[in-house]
Amino acid sequence: MLFWTLAASLAAPALVWAQDPYAGKREHMVRTQIEARGVRNPAVLDVMRRVPRHLFMPENVRALAYADQPVPVGYGQTISQPYIVAFMTELLAPERTHKVLEIGTGSGYQAAVLSPLVGHVYTIEIVPELARSAAATLKKLGYDNITVRLGDGYKGWPEQAPFDRIILTAAPPKVPQELIDQLKPGGRLVAPEGASVFGQELVVIEKAADGKTRKKSVLPVMFVPMVRGPEKD
Ligand code: SAH
């Protein structure tokens, strides 16, 4: 019996890897890039092992899917480095009841990582082609608690506000007050912030029960800038 259990537990990963040739690469990515740099939240590590990152990128760059770097997804945009996705997700401290707003859908990968950890993800993308293809990818892969909207993230999503958590994956010069206003008391926002590509900081803004906010910088980062949309949306 002991032998059978052992054999079964050895066979299980092999079976998974046979079905998904990328599972081994993801395991390696999690160990060497993410755990090694200090991300510890087991739910975050688990989801990073499971989300098929390669399916969120165009075929010509899929070989880079699990490399320790950001990957271009077209229209001058990139999917963040796996470590940064995991670290920002951990900083967000997501919970299963949370309503989350993401600014910068891009490929949809970060939204997919958040999906099993929260109640619902509302995500806004300003480039129509990216919004359309991310929505199609997420639908095809069966994510049913993510809503993608084409629009300008500077305005947030007032119809769905307030949010427990807000994450920006494009960098504004300064986190827009409209977004802080759409955060619940007790809520938390994670964003890259900075006027130029060099000199951005990853910041965490916490809103206390009395509505007061506190901001701390946690890491120098380099994100694509958050662009301004037309005044009318
Ligand atoms: N989260 C994405 C990566 C995003 S890259 C992923 O997991 O793939 C940043 C994205 O922000 C780009 O797709 C860019 O078009 C978008 N963006 C830039 N300015 C924006 C704005 N004002 N509102 C919404 N999206 C914006």
Side-chain angles (χ1 to χ4, degrees):
M1 192 56 199
L2 180 66
F3 171 75
W4 187 86
T5 314
L6 193 65
S9 68
L10 287 175
L15 199 69
V16 172
W17 290 5
Q19 285 163 353
D20 177 357
Y22 289 91
K25 289 191 171 198
R26 275 200 297 281
E27 182 59 39
H28 187 257
M29 168 191 88
V30 167
R31 286 207 198 130
T32 61
Q33 303 173 29
I34 300 174
E35 278 185 305
R37 293 189 179 113
V39 173
R40 290 285 174 265
N41 183 324
V44 173
L45 296 173
D46 181 55
V47 80
M48 294 300 296
R49 282 191 175 94
R50 283 191 288 123
V51 179
R53 182 170 158 94
H54 60 286
L55 297 181
F56 290 85
M57 10 191 118
E59 272 173 46
N60 63 329
V61 291
R62 272 189 194 164
L64 297 174
Y66 299 102
D68 193 12
Q69 61 170 81
V71 177
V73 290
Y75 307 94
Q77 306 305 333
T78 60
I79 305 191
S80 301
Q81 182 187 8
Y83 165 64
I84 291 291
V85 173
F87 183 52
M88 287 176 78
T89 306
E90 184 172 65
L91 280 177
L92 206 60
E95 288 175 18
R96 290 300 293 267
T97 54
H98 282 166
K99 193 171 183 181
V100 180
L101 174 66
E102 179 193 27
I103 308 300
T105 316
S107 67
Y109 177 67
Q110 173 75 70
V113 167
L114 285 169
S115 162
L117 304 174
V118 304
H120 201 99
V121 183
Y122 295 88
T123 178
I124 306 178
E125 171 56 53
I126 204 163
V127 176
E129 292 83 354
L130 289 176
R132 209 174 305 130
S133 79
T137 306
L138 291 165
K139 187 167 180 223
K140 193 163 125 199
L141 295 177
Y143 291 94
D144 57 6
N145 65 342
I146 302 175
T147 311
V148 182
R149 164 165 155 178
L150 174 64
D152 180 6
Y154 276 94
K155 297 172 186 148
W157 196 320
E159 301 84 351
Q160 290 296 341
F163 297 95
D164 298 284
R165 298 288 187 260
I166 300 181
I167 179 170
L168 279 65
T169 62
K174 198 167 178 335
V175 173
Q177 187 58 42
E178 284 87 336
L179 297 181
I180 296 173
D181 290 344
Q182 292 181 22
L183 196 59
K184 273 187 198 169
R188 183 185 280 221
L189 178 153
V190 175
E193 185 184 71
S196 82
V197 177
F198 306 100
Q200 293 172 8
E201 290 280 334
L202 193 61
V203 300
V204 177
I205 296 177
E206 283 176 312
K207 189 183 263 192
D210 64 3
K212 284 205 185 107
T213 56
R214 209 172 45 146
K215 178 162 103 176
K216 63 175 184 206
S217 291
V218 289
L219 189 74
V221 285
M222 204 186 270
F223 276 74
V224 297
M226 190 166 153
V227 298
R228 287 227 170 249
E231 264 323 294
K232 281 193 182 156
D233 217 357

